[in-house]
Amino acid sequence: MNREALHFAVRNGKLLVGLAVLLPLLALALLGPALAEGDPNAYVGTPAQAPSGEYWFGTTMFGQDVFAQFVYGLRVTFLVGLLGGGLAALIGMAVGFTAGYRGGLVDEVLNMLTNIVLVLPALAVLLVVNAYLGVRSVSVQALFIGLTSWPWAARAIRAQTFSLRSRDFVDLARLSGVRTWKIITREIAPNMSSYLFMTFILLFGGSVLIAASLDFIGLGPTQGVSLGLMLNNAARWSALHLGMWWWFIPPGAGITVIVGALYVMNVGLDEVFNPRLREL
Amino acid sequence: MRRYFGRKLLVYGLTFLVAVTVNWMIPRFMPGDPVQSMIARANVSQPAAVEAMRAHYTSLFGFDLPLWKQYANFWAALFRGDLGISVWLFPTPVTDVIVRAVPYTLALLVPAILLSWWAGNRFGAFAARRRWLENTALPVGYVLTATPYMWLAILMAWGLGVVAGIFPVAGGYGFALRPGWSAEFLGSLALHWVLPFLSLFLVAFGGWAIGMRNMIIYELEADYANYLAALGAPRRLIRRYAFRNAVLPQITGLALQLGVLVAGALVTEIVFSYPGLGHLILQAIQNQDFFLLQGTFLFIVVGVLIANFVIDVVYVLVDPRIRTGMGGEAA
């Protein structure tokens, strides 16, 4: 990032608001488990207690500490976003750069592949895959999310690459005999780095939402805790009808705030990098 | 135009092929043994009974045949409309179970998708460049799109159902009623429909409104808008032109969002125990009913493909550039 972008970044309200929301939550996810030590699923207190000084977010129907679960769940949420979104971004970049730069038959084939994965409803595929997995873990969940959610990113990156590929500096590199791989990483990718970063942010948010849905349906990680699993448990043990709002509000709010902050940050970044959108 | 539809149909055909192949491959090549877990669920201890069940399930999946034959049989059964027998509702065929649930899902999804798209676009176009609306409504829109569908559904069920007691929170109709055409049943059906519909509608609405607002701002900065303004055209007229141009990417967006919307409907149905496909999926997972799960998967894929095709047709009707073969954005 250059100094001009930084100048606008520290003055961009949306970006700052997004960061101000996201960073404390990230800190909580990283440091929280040190605060709430022990197994988040342990039965520690009186069941179905409302929030109090001792249990900040109350306890579940079985006497588990909702705050401890929330903190560990946050960590899983960030992890799924990072791994799933990261993998999707990598695949999207690989496919997008190759298709956009090479063109021709390679482009046709990759484009067809992209379109096929694009119309397949991701959650439905993930449901079937996860149902057959006997033991499910966060990383495997993220792996499959990454494998199914890359197509729109590939499309977008392909279009960007397409517009960059006939620029003079790329032609010059090609004429001087630079290898294709190097042209892509040295000439093309740096010129759309802001775009790539924003794509990653959106993929991150998407992974978090998909993982939450999977967990909620009951196909979450077999061990441990996540925000989606908390919602799943709350719904399964009728927290709704028992009026235990402290059980289902924090996990959903956590997901919403994280993803919402990411989206707002993304708009802010767009304004930082795109001079036409800057509010002066 | 023929080329446009030809390409689209080729993609959809290939997608269906891939979906069926994935569906066939997963039980065979994933770690974990579906036969074993189905036997475990039945909870029998006699070795003889276990052996008989193993043989039964193995032949049901066709695991005892060579692979290519299993694959051919899978397709043959599919074309006969045979998706296997449900384990959860034994011995009802999976196709029957699904066909009974589909109307409920469609009744939720179709109005929610169409209305949220229409209202979101209208509202987004209206809010653009109106400072007070942009400052109040846009943040709300961002929060709405970031909301997991099931969470908004839970909040609505809790707030409007359990606490306020206005709407029922579970089922597709009153438990005491039998499905029929009586006024009482239809009334109950409508009442149970409101909350799931509303929560689907709201999440989707936020996304469309934001998308449209961003598109229309882009259009309002385009040369033709500036030219119109310079000619002294009224703002309303300029906005109308901008809206028509901004709607095109939103139609493409609708096609891209279909998978997410269907996923949203599935989890919303689970929250409200609404008797559609989402409810089936939950039961299938809880009962290790793999045939039902895979059948539902295929139904969803086919539904999404059909919807995609409908959107393609609409696009051709709306965008004259494709009709005249001049390309355009979706080609």
Side-chain angles (χ1 to χ4, degrees):
Chain A
M1 199 195 283
N2 53 28
R3 291 188 57 185
E4 187 205 355
L6 199 65
H7 171 86
F8 284 102
V10 293
R11 283 166 185 77
N12 187 288
K14 294 188 183 99
L15 184 61
L16 294 181
V17 166
L19 280 177
V21 172
L22 210 57
L23 289 180
L25 280 173
L26 184 63
L28 188 63
L30 290 176
L31 307 173
L35 295 174
E37 262 182 63
D39 179 11
N41 287 328
Y43 309 109
V44 287
T46 338
Q49 248 182 295
S52 63
E54 193 182 356
Y55 299 110
W56 293 351
F57 286 2
T59 59
T60 69
M61 201 147 93
F62 311 102
Q64 295 151 311
D65 184 355
V66 176
F67 181 71
Q69 293 197 333
F70 178 74
V71 169
Y72 278 91
L74 271 182
R75 185 178 263 200
V76 170
T77 295
F78 278 110
L79 194 67
V80 164
L82 190 68
L83 293 179
L87 180 63
L90 281 180
I91 302 177
M93 271 159 38
V95 173
F97 282 139
T98 320
Y101 186 74
R102 281 295 184 76
L105 190 66
V106 179
D107 182 32
E108 286 284 323
V109 172
L110 286 178
N111 209 4
M112 192 62 89
L113 178 74
T114 311
N115 282 332
I116 288 173
V117 185
L118 191 68
V119 275
L120 270 181
L123 187 83
V125 179
L126 290 169
L127 280 176
V128 179
V129 170
N130 279 291
Y132 274 103
L133 276 176
V135 182
R136 295 180 294 268
S137 68
V138 177
S139 41
V140 174
Q141 188 185 46
L143 172 77
F144 282 109
I145 290 177
L147 286 177
T148 47
S149 53
W150 55 268
W152 70 263
R155 255 191 168 189
I157 293 169
R158 169 182 172 270
Q160 290 280 322
T161 312
F162 223 73
S163 71
L164 282 177
R165 129 181 125 152
S166 48
R167 299 278 180 87
D168 289 344
F169 62 91
V170 179
D171 283 339
L172 195 63
R174 202 165 24 227
L175 282 176
S176 23
V178 181
R179 293 228 304 276
T180 307
W181 170 245
K182 270 221 162 132
I183 294 180
I184 290 176
T185 50
R186 290 276 173 80
E187 308 292 338
I188 292 182
N191 276 296
M192 48 193 278
S193 56
S194 60
Y195 193 80
L196 295 177
F197 184 61
M198 294 192 313
T199 309
F200 169 65
I201 289 187
L202 291 182
L203 287 170
F204 189 110
S207 297
V208 167
L209 285 179
I210 282 205
S213 298
L214 269 178
D215 295 356
F216 178 72
I217 294 174
L219 292 173
T222 2
Q223 286 206 325
V225 63
S226 76
L227 296 182
L229 271 179
M230 289 173 74
L231 278 178
N232 170 265
N233 281 323
R236 202 145 46 115
W237 302 103
S238 23
L240 271 181
H241 303 270
L242 300 170
M244 292 165 65
W245 51 267
W246 56 88
W247 195 358
F248 57 80
I249 287 189
I255 300 170
T256 309
V257 167
I258 290 176
V259 179
L262 284 172
Y263 287 171
V264 170
M265 251 178 75
N266 198 49
V267 179
L269 281 175
D270 208 6
E271 291 172 1
V272 169
F273 292 122
N274 187 346
R276 287 183 58 189
L277 295 174
R278 277 177 201 151
E279 290 174 24
L280 294 171
Chain B
M1 192 164 83
R2 176 171 291 171
R3 192 177 130 78
Y4 168 80
F5 276 117
R7 281 185 73 96
K8 293 282 179 186
L9 285 177
L10 178 65
V11 168
Y12 298 153
L14 282 175
T15 308
F16 183 67
L17 187 81
V18 169
V20 173
T21 309
V22 163
N23 213 11
W24 173 82
M25 268 168 64
I26 286 172
R28 286 164 181 83
F29 298 111
M30 286 289 275
D33 183 356
V35 174
Q36 187 58 45
S37 56
M38 280 167 128
I39 294 173
R41 176 186 162 258
N43 221 355
V44 278
S45 51
Q46 279 174 301
V50 169
E51 257 334 289
M53 279 181 73
R54 182 181 301 279
H56 173 68
Y57 281 130
T58 306
S59 71
L60 255 189
F61 276 101
F63 282 154
D64 42 356
L65 297 170
L67 273 180
W68 67 269
K69 210 165 186 179
Q70 288 183 31
Y71 190 61
N73 284 350
F74 194 79
W75 274 100
L78 197 66
F79 279 117
R80 274 181 272 121
D82 173 13
L83 295 170
I85 306 285
S86 166
V87 178
W88 168 49
L89 292 174
F90 193 82
T92 325
V94 165
T95 319
D96 290 2
V97 179
I98 294 175
V99 165
R100 250 180 276 158
V102 163
Y104 288 99
T105 299
L106 286 183
L108 270 187
L109 253 181
V110 175
I113 291 178
L114 294 180
L115 286 177
S116 68
W117 190 81
W118 179 80
N121 279 336
R122 285 278 152 200
F123 182 76
F126 181 76
R129 288 277 173 82
R130 284 188 169 82
R131 202 132 256 251
W132 62 277
L133 254 183
E134 288 205 330
N135 288 338
T136 51
L138 280 184
V140 176
Y142 278 110
V143 171
L144 279 179
T145 33
T147 312
Y149 280 92
M150 62 272 182
W151 191 56
L152 189 67
I154 289 177
L155 288 185
M156 292 221 144
W158 181 59
L160 293 174
V162 176
V163 176
I166 305 172
F167 293 104
V169 292
Y173 45 84
F175 289 116
L177 298 173
R178 280 167 58 86
W181 291 109
S182 68
E184 197 193 359
F185 176 75
L186 291 179
S188 166
L189 205 62
L191 204 59
H192 282 78
W193 174 84
V194 173
L195 280 189
F197 163 78
L198 208 59
S199 55
L200 263 177
F201 173 85
L202 280 177
V203 178
F205 174 83
W208 298 129
I210 290 171
M212 182 45 128
R213 181 257 170 191
N214 294 342
M215 288 313 305
I216 210 150
I217 286 204
Y218 191 77
E219 292 294 336
L220 285 176
E221 280 168 6
D223 289 342
Y224 71 88
N226 287 331
Y227 182 60
L228 270 178
L231 288 181
R235 273 171 66 96
R236 275 181 54 97
L237 184 73
I238 302 174
R239 274 183 178 261
R240 203 153 65 218
Y241 277 105
F243 182 79
R244 292 182 61 159
N245 279 313
V247 143
L248 285 178
Q250 290 288 85
I251 297 179
T252 318
L254 185 58
L256 291 178
Q257 282 291 310
L258 274 177
V260 177
L261 287 162
V262 171
L266 296 182
V267 291
T268 305
E269 283 178 9
I270 291 176
V271 171
F272 290 99
S273 313
Y274 204 73
L277 292 178
H279 181 64
L280 285 191
I281 285 178
L282 186 71
Q283 295 299 336
I285 288 167
Q286 286 178 354
N287 294 297
Q288 302 275 341
D289 188 346
F290 293 116
F291 295 107
L292 182 56
L293 186 66
Q294 295 193 270
T296 316
F297 166 73
L298 275 187
F299 254 78
I300 292 175
V301 169
V302 171
V304 168
L305 291 182
I306 294 174
N308 262 296
F309 185 69
V310 172
I311 293 175
D312 291 337
V313 172
V314 170
Y315 206 103
V316 171
L317 294 178
V318 177
D319 188 349
R321 285 173 300 182
I322 293 179
R323 253 175 296 163
T324 52
M326 282 170 64
E329 183 197 353

